Amino acid sequence: MTAFIIRRLLQAVLVMLVVALIAFLMFRFVGDPINQMVGIETTPEQREALRVRLGLRDPILVQLARFIWNAAQFNFGTSYQFKQPVSEMILQRMPATLELSMVSAIFALIVGIPMGVYTGIRREAWLSKLFLTVSLVGISLPPFLIGILLIFIFAVNLQILPSFGRGQVVDLGFWSTGLLTVSGLKALILPAITLGLFQLTLIMRLVRSEMLEVLRTDYIKFARARGLTERAVNFGHALKNTMIPVITVTGLQLGSIIAFAIITETVFQWPGMGLLFLQSVQNVDIPIMAAYLMLIAFLFVVINLIVDILYTVVDPRVRLDGGAAV
Amino acid sequence: MSDPLLQVRDLVVEFPTRRGTLTAVDKVSFDIAPGEVLGVVGESGAGKSLTGTAIINLLEPPGRIGGGEVILQGERIDNLPQEEMRKIRGKRIGMVFQDPLTSLNPLYTIGEQLTETIQTHMKLTDAAARIRAIELLSEVGIPAPESRIDAYPHQFSGGMRQRVVIALALAANPVLVLADEPTTALDVSVQAQIIALLKKTCAEHGAAVMLITHDMGVIAETADRVAVMYAGRIVEIGPVREVIKNAKHPYTDGLMASIPSLTHEAERLAQIEGSMPRLTAIPDGCAFHPRCPQAFDRCRRERPELLDADTTQAACWLYAKEEAVT
Ligand SMILES: Nc1ncnc2c1ncn2[C@@H]1O[C@H](COP(=O)(O)OP(=O)(O)O)[C@@H](O)[C@H]1O
Ligand code: SF4
Ligand SMILES: [Mg+2]
C-alpha cells in the first residue's frame, strides 16, 4: 500500500515537472516580458539592465531550474497587468472557483446517481425515457447557452435569482465563503446548475449503463436466488459495484469542472480564477496564465491520487495487502 | 409414497421472438419427494437450466413460463406475486449456480453475504446470525471459519467458494436445493468432494436436491432418481439404477452407452449419430426420431408422452400398450 502511494506520488511529481516545462516555455517564447513591463519611453540600455536583473540573460537551464524552484513554492512573480504578486491574486479568487466547482460536482452526483439507478432499473418506465431524452439536451447544449437560458428564466423573467456575482461573502481569514449567507447561496444556484449539468447527465448515463451491466452478472442472479429484497439487490449489491467507474469519472470530471469553470464564471461574472485567467489571456499576462496552468494541473494530479486511493476503499481486490487464496 | 415436495406439471418455458414463439421447455412434468435427490441430465441446450430457473421463477425476460404449474408442498408457486415468491427463494428453495467464481459479490466479505441471507429469512440478531454463519461455514468444510468469515471471495479458491455458495444456499434451511451444474466450472480434482459435500449437507438439512448436470457419473453416485431431458422434454425418468443399467428410451440407451465407465460391454452402441435439434427446428412427433435407430412410422407423426416402461417411464412409442395403433 505504501509502495503503491509512493509510486503514485513519483508519477505525480513527474507530471508536474512536465507541466512546469510547458509553463516555462510559455514564458520564454510567448511575447517579451520586458515589453509588457516597461513603457515605450524606456531606453534599450535600461531594458538590458532589467533583463539582466530579472535573470533573463542566464543560461536557459538555470532559468528553468529557478522557475521550477519558484513554482514549487507557488511563486510566479508579478502580474504584468495588475503589478500584484500572482500567487496572491490567484489565492484570493480560488475560494470562489472551488466553492462553485464543488457545489456543481455534488449537485451532479446527488442528482445524477439516483437518476442513473432509476433509469437502469426501470428501463421501460416513461420517466426513464424522459430522463434520457432530457439528458441528451444536457449533453448537446453548450454550457454558456444553458447559463444564458437560466439567467433569462430565473433572473430576468421570474426575478428570483441573481444573474451575476457571488452575493455577500463571509471572510474566514484564509477563505472567503459564499456558503454562509442567503444571497451567497442564491447566487450559487444558477452557476452551479450551469456548470454541473453536463456532469450530471454524464454520471446519470454512466450509472445507468453500469447498472444494466451489473444486473446481468451471476452474483446479482444469485443474490435474487437467495431471496434478498429488490432494494438490497439493487442498492446493496448492484449500485456498489458501479461505484468504481463512477468514482473514476467523477474524479476526472472534477478536474474538468474546475477547468471549465472559466466559461460559467464569464457568463455569471463569477469572481473566480477562471475569470481572472480569461482576462490574463486577453492581456497576454503570462505569469497569471502560467500560475493558472500549474494550479489546474496540480488539482488534476491531486484528484487522480485521491481517486486511486478511493478504489482501494471500495474494492477489496485492489487492496494490495489482501490475503492469498486458500 | 409420501406426498411429493415439489410437483412440476406440464411446465412450458417459451421465448417470444419476432419469428414466433420458441418453446425451450415443453410440457415437462416430474415430482421430487422430500429429501430425495433427483438428477437431471441431458446435452447442453436440452432445457435443464431453464427448468430450474422457472421453478424458482427467475427467468430472464423475454423468457417466461408459458404454461403448467409448479407446486411446492401443496402450494402453487408459479403464479405468486414477486414479493411472495421472493420470500420462498432462499428460504424454502435454495440455489447453487455453476460458477462459484462469479456467484459471489466481490465487494462483500463472505460473512456479510451469509448474514445478509440469514437475516433476510430469519429473525436473528447480528451476533446470532454471525454464529450461524460460522456454523454453516464449518459444516461445508471451510477451515478456521471464525477468521475466514471476514475474508473476501477473491481470497478463496474455486472449490472453497463453491463450499461458500452451498452454505449460502442452505443458510435458511430450505426444503429443496436446485444445483445447476455445481461442479462443471471446478477443477476435476475437487469435483467429487463438492458433490459429496452437497449431498451430505443437504441430507443433514433434510433438503431435497434437484441436481442438474451433464455428467452421468455424478448422477450415478448421487441421485435417487434421474430425469433425462432431450430438446426441452423429459424423455425418460426413473430410479437411477434402472435408468443407467436398463435404459428404456433409445436416447437414454445411447447416452449411457457413450459413457465408458458405466458400461462394461464395450461392444454396445457407440455415440448416437447427429446432434440435438435447434429450438427453431424441433421435429414433429418424437423429437428424437431423426436420430433414433428404432424409429418407425408413428414416431414421425405423433408425439409420445411419458409411458410406463416397466421400471421407468419413457416417452417412446415402443412402450405404447396394445391400444388401437392408428
Ligand atoms: N434468452 C433466450 N432466447 C432464446 N433462446 C434461449 C434463451 N435462453 C436460452 N435459450 C434456449 O433454451 C434452450 C435451453 O437452454 P438451457 O436450459 O440453458 O439448457 P441446458 O441448461 O440444458 O444446457 C437452449 O436451446 C437455448 O438456446
Ligand atoms: S418414439 Fe420412436 S423415434 Fe422416438 S425414441 Fe421411441 S422409437 Fe425412437
Ligand atoms: Mg445449463
Side-chain angles (χ1 to χ4, degrees):
Chain A
M1 189 72 200
T2 351
F4 165 78
I5 290 181
I6 289 174
R7 204 170 55 234
R8 277 284 184 277
L9 279 174
L10 287 179
Q11 285 172 357
V13 170
L14 196 71
V15 170
M16 288 312 295
L17 283 178
V18 171
V19 175
L21 184 66
I22 295 171
F24 174 73
L25 293 177
M26 206 156 75
F27 260 109
R28 287 285 304 173
F29 298 114
V30 182
D32 177 6
I34 302 296
N35 271 345
Q36 300 282 338
M37 284 186 223
V38 297
I40 12 167
E41 69 281 9
T42 321
T43 64
E45 290 74 30
Q46 284 171 316
R47 285 171 186 251
E48 185 55 29
L50 187 59
R51 219 175 271 279
V52 172
R53 190 152 52 80
L54 289 176
L56 294 176
R57 285 285 178 239
D58 291 342
I60 193 138
L61 281 180
V62 173
Q63 290 188 43
L64 176 62
R66 192 187 301 130
F67 176 81
I68 291 175
W69 175 245
N70 285 333
Q73 301 163 58
F74 204 61
N75 175 2
F76 291 92
T78 313
S79 154
Y80 297 160
Q81 185 195 0
F82 298 101
K83 315 289 182 219
Q84 280 178 30
V86 168
S87 47
E88 232 171 69
M89 295 183 64
I90 295 242
L91 285 179
Q92 248 172 31
R93 287 166 173 78
M94 195 152 71
T97 298
L98 289 190
E99 275 184 8
L100 175 61
S101 307
M102 291 303 152
V103 170
S104 304
I106 292 169
F107 160 72
L109 282 176
I110 289 185
V111 182
I113 290 178
M115 278 169 77
V117 171
Y118 182 84
T119 50
I121 298 173
R122 303 250 177 282
R123 251 172 305 170
E124 300 302 321
W126 64 267
L127 194 57
S128 296
K129 288 173 181 159
L130 183 75
F131 282 165
L132 285 174
T133 316
V134 172
S135 81
L136 267 186
V137 178
I139 284 189
S140 38
L141 276 189
F144 74 88
L145 208 64
I146 294 175
I148 291 170
L149 222 67
L150 288 175
I151 289 177
F152 181 72
I153 299 172
F154 292 98
V156 178
N157 271 356
L158 302 175
Q159 302 203 338
I160 47 174
L161 292 171
S163 64
F164 67 91
R166 223 187 147 194
Q168 207 178 343
V169 294
V170 178
D171 198 348
L172 303 175
F174 62 98
W175 191 271
S176 72
T177 179
L179 299 176
L180 297 176
T181 64
V182 175
S183 75
L185 287 174
K186 276 174 101 172
L188 199 51
I189 295 176
L190 293 186
I193 292 178
T194 307
L195 186 54
L197 206 59
F198 179 78
Q199 268 68 30
L200 185 156
T201 52
L202 202 70
I203 287 171
M204 178 191 118
R205 287 174 164 267
L206 178 72
V207 171
R208 180 185 122 91
S209 67
E210 288 295 322
M211 280 296 276
L212 292 179
E213 186 96 348
V214 171
L215 286 174
R216 274 199 295 269
T217 60
D218 280 356
Y219 56 82
I220 291 298
K221 277 181 217 152
F222 189 46
R224 292 224 160 87
R226 284 186 278 145
L228 302 187
T229 60
E230 273 304 294
R231 227 181 80 191
V233 172
N234 288 333
F235 294 93
H237 287 266
L239 183 59
K240 189 167 179 189
N241 273 283
T242 67
M243 281 300 117
I244 291 274
V246 171
I247 289 172
T248 316
V249 169
T250 309
L252 296 177
Q253 289 300 313
L254 194 58
S256 334
I257 286 185
I258 296 171
F260 283 119
I262 296 174
I263 297 163
T264 309
E265 287 182 5
T266 311
V267 172
F268 288 93
Q269 288 298 298
W270 188 263
M273 301 184 293
L275 198 57
L276 180 69
F277 174 73
L278 217 63
Q279 288 164 356
S280 73
V281 171
Q282 283 159 359
N283 299 309
V284 203
D285 201 338
I286 304 287
I288 294 184
M289 285 163 64
Y292 183 76
L293 184 71
M294 294 288 293
L295 187 69
I296 293 289
F298 181 70
L299 287 173
F300 263 92
V301 165
V302 169
I303 290 168
N304 266 323
L305 202 60
I306 294 174
V307 165
D308 281 342
I309 293 171
L310 273 183
Y311 280 170
T312 65
V313 177
V314 174
D315 191 340
R317 287 166 298 183
V318 190
R319 270 172 233 161
L320 296 168
D321 51 357
V326 181
Chain B
M1 206 173 137
S2 57
D3 280 345
L5 174 78
L6 180 83
Q7 293 168 274
V8 175
R9 292 280 164 270
D10 294 328
L11 182 67
V12 174
V13 175
E14 55 189 24
F15 294 92
T17 68
R18 261 174 282 124
R19 279 177 291 137
T21 303
L22 296 179
T23 307
V25 174
D26 197 357
K27 296 207 171 155
V28 161
S29 301
F30 60 89
D31 290 353
I32 300 181
E36 178 184 49
V37 178
L38 174 74
V40 178
V41 281
E43 290 167 70
S44 175
K48 308 181 295 293
S49 298
L50 288 176
T51 305
T53 319
I55 290 172
I56 201 166
N57 211 334
L58 278 179
L59 289 172
E60 277 179 36
R64 61 172 190 226
I65 295 182
E69 295 180 2
V70 179
I71 297 159
L72 180 70
Q73 296 177 314
E75 176 200 5
R76 193 165 166 196
I77 61 167
D78 57 285
N79 54 1
L80 287 179
Q82 271 305 313
E83 177 60 14
E84 292 304 306
M85 192 59 209
R86 179 190 69 71
K87 289 181 185 153
I88 289 176
R89 288 186 207 119
K91 172 80 181 147
R92 291 165 68 193
I93 305 179
M95 190 143 186
V96 176
F97 284 103
Q98 180 171 341
D99 189 353
L101 298 187
T102 56
S103 294
L104 299 167
N105 190 329
L107 303 188
Y108 290 102
T109 65
I110 58 167
E112 284 165 342
Q113 303 188 47
L114 270 163
T115 47
E116 176 184 35
T117 313
I118 293 167
Q119 288 184 313
T120 301
H121 299 297
M122 300 169 140
K123 279 207 165 62
L124 286 183
T125 62
D126 291 355
R130 190 179 162 89
I131 289 171
R132 181 170 171 81
I134 293 173
E135 279 169 14
L136 284 162
L137 288 177
S138 120
E139 254 184 78
V140 296
I142 304 281
E146 302 83 2
S147 57
R148 297 299 285 166
I149 187 172
D150 294 316
Y152 288 93
H154 73 276
Q155 295 169 311
F156 290 82
S157 66
M160 284 294 156
R161 283 194 226 186
Q162 197 62 310
R163 289 169 189 264
V164 173
V165 169
I166 292 173
L168 277 162
L170 290 170
N173 284 326
V175 289
L176 173 66
V177 170
L178 308 179
D180 190 352
E181 314 230 10
T183 57
T184 309
L186 294 179
D187 200 84
V188 185
S189 60
V190 297
Q191 288 185 352
Q193 285 172 29
I194 295 293
I195 287 293
L197 176 81
L198 181 73
K199 180 165 176 158
K200 179 176 118 305
T201 47
C202 288
E204 283 165 5
H205 284 250
V209 183
M210 176 171 155
L211 178 61
I212 297 171
T213 174
H214 54 246
D215 186 343
M216 267 320 289
V218 165
I219 297 281
E221 279 172 32
T222 319
D224 301 313
R225 284 193 310 137
V226 56
V228 182
M229 287 190 74
Y230 183 82
R233 303 165 190 186
I234 290 184
V235 292
E236 183 160 8
I237 183 167
V240 70
R241 211 172 317 112
E242 292 301 322
V243 173
I244 289 176
K245 292 258 165 64
N246 206 355
K248 302 295 189 300
H249 195 283
Y251 175 68
T252 320
D253 206 32
L255 199 64
M256 296 307 149
S258 63
I259 304 161
S261 63
L262 289 174
T263 162
H264 304 289
E265 312 143 61
E267 71 277 15
R268 274 185 66 177
L269 269 171
Q271 197 91 30
I272 320 162
E273 296 273 317
S275 58
M276 205 170 63
R278 299 163 156 278
L279 288 187
T280 43
I282 292 184
D284 289 337
C286 174
F288 186 59
H289 83 247
R291 300 169 74 187
C292 180
Q294 303 176 56
F296 53 100
D297 206 29
R298 189 175 186 183
C299 308
R300 284 175 266 276
R301 284 184 283 112
E302 284 177 75
R303 172 182 170 174
E305 300 297 327
L306 279 174
L307 301 166
D308 282 329
D310 196 9
T311 46
T312 76
Q313 288 182 301
C316 172
W317 288 129
L318 293 175
Y319 302 95
K321 293 283 172 310
E322 299 310 318
E323 37 183 287
V325 177
T326 44

